[in-house]
């Protein structure tokens, strides 16, 4: 029987999108590599208690808020590591290397410059993904109005957009892609291209985006990662088979849907929270809940192992996207330690 070692990890947040990392001492296992602070959970110790103990012992801080982020297993040759990962946006204390290790604050987009152990790949992705995402509504013919709605969402705080205009006109799509890309760069937001209607030309358009998104049908046709690791890849998933395929080919994150009945249209079935929790229990990549999401759903989503929520109507049709984002941010602060 394989031995399972439980590990707790804290993604400690600082100012200006900085995150705390530390360097393993030379001579230690995988010495010289960088990692997020954390360590082994002692027998009978709850993960949150272990998180507080490890962060204080290693870097001198105590978490005030710890939001569940990921729970996954990484298999080594002779044992399994079971990771319990928490986002720590609020903490107390003074950061200092209590174990004489090298520590530093790195911007989330700089993490690729630091070599980390293989089990840390999902954590790198989790650090750059916000807890909420916008999926754009279909384009209906008014280019300026469409771009203005995207800009209002960005001004409100959206930092991850899945661009899904459902446009077949290639000239219009290319123009929209370029303008949306410029807008997102202005707000330092990530933007993903949904390839639903552009599967034959996504390689031409990807230059304008941080990543590409594959609908579930296209996901199941993939046998390997279609773009380099410098480009993010996400996919739509509705069941365990699709989530496993996304993991096998090395996707970065996925959208699980429909978790609840969509606000904008009727569906015959939806997953519900219990089924969604079962599907993401051992997912080794961040998963967003999509379908019927409202700001109040963020607490339930994170509690059951989802990374966050993604909305179409909930943000696109909101008279105040900034207010919607504020509701989500307040709800996340309820995860007090």
């Amino acid at each position: 029987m394989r031995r399972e070692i439980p590990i707790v990890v804290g993604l400690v947040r600082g100012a200006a999108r900085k995150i705390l990392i530390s360097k393993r001492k030379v001579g230690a296992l995988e010495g010289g590599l960088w990692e997020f602070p954390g360590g082994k959970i002692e027998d009978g110790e709850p993960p949150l208690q272990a998180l507080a103990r490890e962060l204080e012992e290693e870097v001198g801080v105590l978490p005030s808020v710890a939001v569940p982020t990921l729970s996954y297993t990484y298999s080594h040759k002779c044992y399994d590591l079971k990771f319990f990962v928490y986002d720590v946006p609020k903490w107390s204390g003074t950061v200092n290397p209590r174990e004489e290790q090298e520590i530093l604050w790195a911007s989330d987009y700089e993490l690729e410059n630091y070599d980390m152990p293989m089990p840390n790949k999902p954590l790198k992705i989790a650090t750059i993904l916000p807890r909420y995402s916008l999926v754009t509504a279909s384009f209906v013919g008014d280019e300026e109005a469409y771009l203005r709605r995207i800009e209002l969402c960005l001004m409100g705080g959206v930092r991850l957009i899945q661009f899904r205009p459902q446009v077949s006109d290639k000239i219009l799509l290319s123009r929209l892609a370029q303008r949306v890309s410029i807008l997102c760069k202005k707000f330092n937001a990530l933007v993903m291209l949904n390839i639903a209607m552009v599967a034959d030309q996504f390689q031409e358009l990807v230059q304008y985006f941080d990543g590409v998104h594959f609908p579930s049908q296209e996901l199941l046709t993939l046998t390997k990662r279609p773009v380099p690791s410098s480009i993010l890849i996400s996919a739509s998933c509705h069941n365990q088979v699709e989530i496993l395929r996304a993991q096998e080919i090395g996707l970065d994150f996925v959208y699980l849907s429909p978790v609840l009945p969509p606000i904008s249209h009727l569906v015959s079935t939806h997953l519900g929270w219990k089924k969604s929790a079962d599907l993401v229990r051992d997912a080794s990549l961040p998963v967003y809940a999509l379908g019927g999401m409202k700001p109040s759903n963020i607490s339930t989503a994170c509690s059951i192992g989802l990374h966050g929520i993604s909305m179409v109507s909930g943000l696109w049709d909101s008279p105040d996207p900034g207010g919607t984002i504020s509701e989500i941010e307040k709800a996340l602060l309820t995860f007090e330690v």
Side-chain angles (χ1 to χ4, degrees):
M1 183 176 178
R2 290 176 63 84
R3 183 165 62 108
E4 183 176 88
I5 302 173
I7 302 291
V8 68
V9 176
L11 307 178
V12 180
R13 303 283 180 171
R17 297 178 66 174
K18 299 279 186 176
I19 190 161
L20 190 64
I21 59 175
S22 62
K23 193 174 187 179
R24 294 189 178 188
K25 293 181 180 179
V26 175
L29 180 65
E30 298 186 291
L33 297 182
W34 292 87
E35 63 183 355
F36 303 100
K40 184 179 177 182
I41 299 174
E42 297 176 355
D43 291 342
E45 188 179 29
L48 272 176
Q49 182 178 320
L51 176 70
R53 175 181 55 76
E54 286 288 345
L55 291 184
E56 185 177 30
E57 289 177 357
E58 286 191 19
V59 293
V61 304
L62 281 172
S64 308
V65 173
V67 185
T69 297
L70 276 175
S71 177
Y72 67 99
T73 301
Y74 183 87
S75 296
H76 276 278
K77 185 176 181 180
C78 301
Y79 57 86
D80 294 328
L81 294 177
K82 177 66 176 181
F83 284 87
F84 297 88
V85 186
Y86 293 87
D87 212 322
V88 184
K90 294 188 70 176
W91 44 270
S92 61
T94 302
V95 173
N96 63 85
R98 290 195 165 182
E99 297 179 348
E100 299 182 353
Q101 76 277 35
E102 185 179 350
I103 62 174
L104 59 80
W105 290 100
S107 299
D108 51 16
Y109 54 83
E110 294 175 335
L111 288 175
E112 283 300 319
N113 299 328
Y114 297 92
D115 291 330
M116 292 185 168
M118 282 297 295
N120 279 249
K121 182 189 175 184
L123 307 187
K124 283 186 175 182
I125 299 299
T127 61
I128 69 171
L129 295 178
R131 292 289 178 165
Y132 38 84
S133 163
L134 166 69
V135 179
T136 64
S138 300
F139 178 77
V140 291
D142 188 333
E143 188 171 332
E144 297 307 319
Y146 191 81
L147 291 165
R148 178 58 180 165
R149 173 47 53 174
I150 292 175
E151 185 175 29
L152 284 173
C153 290
L154 290 166
M155 290 171 64
V158 170
R159 292 297 177 266
L160 174 62
I161 291 178
Q162 183 194 132
F163 178 58
R164 189 182 64 177
Q166 296 182 308
V167 170
S168 56
D169 184 327
K170 293 186 178 183
I171 296 176
L172 173 61
L173 179 60
S174 180
R175 186 167 67 247
L176 283 173
Q178 294 178 57
R179 296 186 69 184
V180 169
S181 174
I182 292 170
L183 267 179
C184 288
K185 284 182 171 61
K186 176 182 175 182
F187 288 90
N188 199 23
L190 298 170
V191 57
M192 309 286 292
L193 170 66
N194 187 310
I195 70 159
M197 300 188 71
V198 295
D200 61 336
Q201 64 174 136
F202 87 87
Q203 295 285 3
E204 304 168 26
L205 293 171
V206 74
Q207 61 180 307
Y208 304 117
F209 296 87
D210 298 289
V212 290
H213 175 86
F214 286 80
S216 56
Q217 300 93 321
E218 282 75 12
L219 166 66
L220 293 176
T221 67
L222 297 177
T223 57
K224 63 180 181 179
R225 188 181 175 98
V227 293
S229 60
S230 59
I231 299 172
L232 293 170
I233 311 180
S234 62
S236 297
C237 294
H238 313 292
N239 53 51
Q240 195 71 51
V241 170
E242 292 167 356
I243 292 175
L244 289 174
R245 174 62 64 87
Q247 293 178 170
E248 288 168 0
I249 61 179
L251 268 63
D252 297 303
F253 64 100
V254 299
Y255 296 81
L256 181 65
S257 69
V259 173
L260 300 178
I263 297 171
S264 59
H265 60 280
L266 295 175
V267 295
S268 57
T269 60
H270 63 277
L271 295 168
W273 292 117
K274 186 179 184 303
K275 178 64 173 178
S276 298
D278 292 339
L279 289 174
V280 303
R281 182 167 291 115
D282 293 310
S284 61
L285 75 179
V287 181
Y288 285 97
L290 178 62
M293 290 296 107
K294 300 176 181 178
S296 57
N297 296 133
I298 189 67
S299 298
T300 302
C302 292
S303 295
I304 66 170
L306 290 153
H307 181 79
I309 60 175
S310 188
M311 293 179 278
V312 185
S313 299
L315 276 170
W316 191 262
D317 296 331
S318 172
D320 179 17
T324 301
I325 297 301
S326 293
E327 289 182 56
I328 297 173
E329 295 284 3
K330 289 177 182 176
L332 289 170
L333 294 178
T334 64
F335 285 91
E336 297 178 340
V337 178

